Amino acid sequence: MKNKTSFLPREGEAQPSRCPDNTAFKQQRLPAWKPQLTIASVLSSFFLTGAFCLTVGVCLVLSANSVREIQIDYSDKCSDCSRLRENSSNWNKECHCSVNFTLKEAILGDVFMYYGLQNFFQNHRRYVMSRSNAQLLGRNVHIQRSYCVPFSTYRNGTPMAPCGAIANSMFNDTIDLFYSRNSSVIQVPLLKTGNSWWTDKNVKFRNPESYNLSSAFAGTARPPYWHKPVYLLDEEDERNNGFVNDDFIIWMRVSAFSTFRNLYRRVSRVRHFTEGLPAGNYTFRIAYNFPVSRFKGRKHVILSTVVWSGGSNPFLGIAYLVTGTAATLTGFVITGIHLKLRKKKTYFQKQ
């Protein structure tokens, strides 16, 4: 073993320099733009920023206010079904309720139907983590160990598909819309596909490869709160089943707030509804399956249009207005300070 002192430099030997090379890059001598902050440039920046933000904010707020929207709370109107669902032993009993409303003016254009939940917290860490992305990609349907616990397997060892608390708590009310026209009742055609994000539908969610879905999910069981297995979510459209079901994909994108809405259906613009929803009497017929009374929640159904800036949420417009107002006020404050200091400097110069 060599002596440690052998690594030390000997007397008379030059020690290696730790200074960077004498180059323009390492010595930070490269040409650079160094702005000269003058009072004119600073004030113009603040006032231009304020004017831009105020203009954009006003446009966004006016756009959000132009959205036509009707929101109906059916938590109390379906109270009988709510009491039935409080008892978990009644999970296999059907319960329907109807909610009547009137449109005084027609809703023109594309009409979207949302379901809204209030006081439902999806931002709990264990809830957000309770999913298996590998399973949702169809890689390992029979997953045993994951963040899905305790909604990963049953006591007999049968794995759940899909697993996790998010999937288990999926919203499963069925909402149909009917229009009363000339003493006849017409069901409003609703589109159940094409409502999710393209990246979710084609990238983040995939069904396992098999000649049919029932064999792909063989050996698995539905989550405890579901009424049907995942491969029968849409019995009318085989392409809208399994992990690529639009309602399932939309639910799996959790909300950051306790009050939120998710897109449920789009009105198909055919026959009597080519221009939207005409004025008249309507009825929501709801198959009540999703209980909310235990956590003091509320349920809404919303009919809304959209504009170039999105839905009726004015948050972005208000944020621009606040930013523009703050920038403009800051510009006036700096202007006042500058005038005061210049006046004082002129006074001392005269003295």
Side-chain angles (χ1 to χ4, degrees), residues 120-124 127-128 166 251 253-255 257-258 260:
F120 188 95
F121 290 85
Q122 288 188 311
N123 54 6
H124 194 281
Y127 183 88
V128 174
I166 306 177
W251 177 259
R253 184 175 287 275
V254 297
S255 172
F257 303 100
S258 61
F260 61 92

Side-chain angles (χ1 to χ4, degrees), residues 151-255:
F151 300 104
S152 57
T153 59
Y154 285 92
R155 293 182 178 179
N156 60 1
T158 304
M160 300 180 190
C163 70
I166 306 177
N168 183 53
S169 61
M170 176 180 168
F171 182 86
N172 56 353
D173 281 0
T174 302
I175 306 173
D176 294 317
L177 181 61
F178 293 86
Y179 170 53
S180 300
R181 181 177 183 270
N182 298 331
S183 69
S184 61
V185 178
I186 303 173
Q187 184 172 3
V188 179
L190 302 175
L191 300 175
K192 64 177 74 173
T193 58
N195 300 324
S196 59
W197 292 15
W198 186 91
T199 52
D200 288 347
K201 186 82 171 182
N202 297 277
V203 179
K204 295 184 179 180
F205 294 83
R206 294 179 183 174
N207 284 326
E209 295 182 0
S210 180
Y211 63 93
N212 60 38
L213 280 182
S214 59
S215 62
F217 290 98
T220 65
R222 58 176 174 79
Y225 290 171
W226 284 29
H227 295 168
K228 58 181 70 174
V230 66
Y231 54 86
L232 292 177
L233 288 179
D234 189 351
E235 299 180 3
E236 299 177 357
D237 188 356
E238 296 181 355
R239 297 172 299 177
N240 193 35
N241 271 315
F243 295 149
V244 296
N245 177 266
D246 274 46
D247 292 338
F248 174 71
I249 292 175
I250 292 173
W251 177 259
M252 293 299 291
R253 184 175 287 275
V254 297
S255 172

Side-chain angles (χ1 to χ4, degrees), residues 18-33:
R18 302 180 62 183
C19 296
D21 298 335
N22 188 22
T23 61
F25 177 76
K26 292 188 176 182
Q27 295 296 334
Q28 299 185 10
R29 293 196 302 265
L30 291 174
W33 177 63

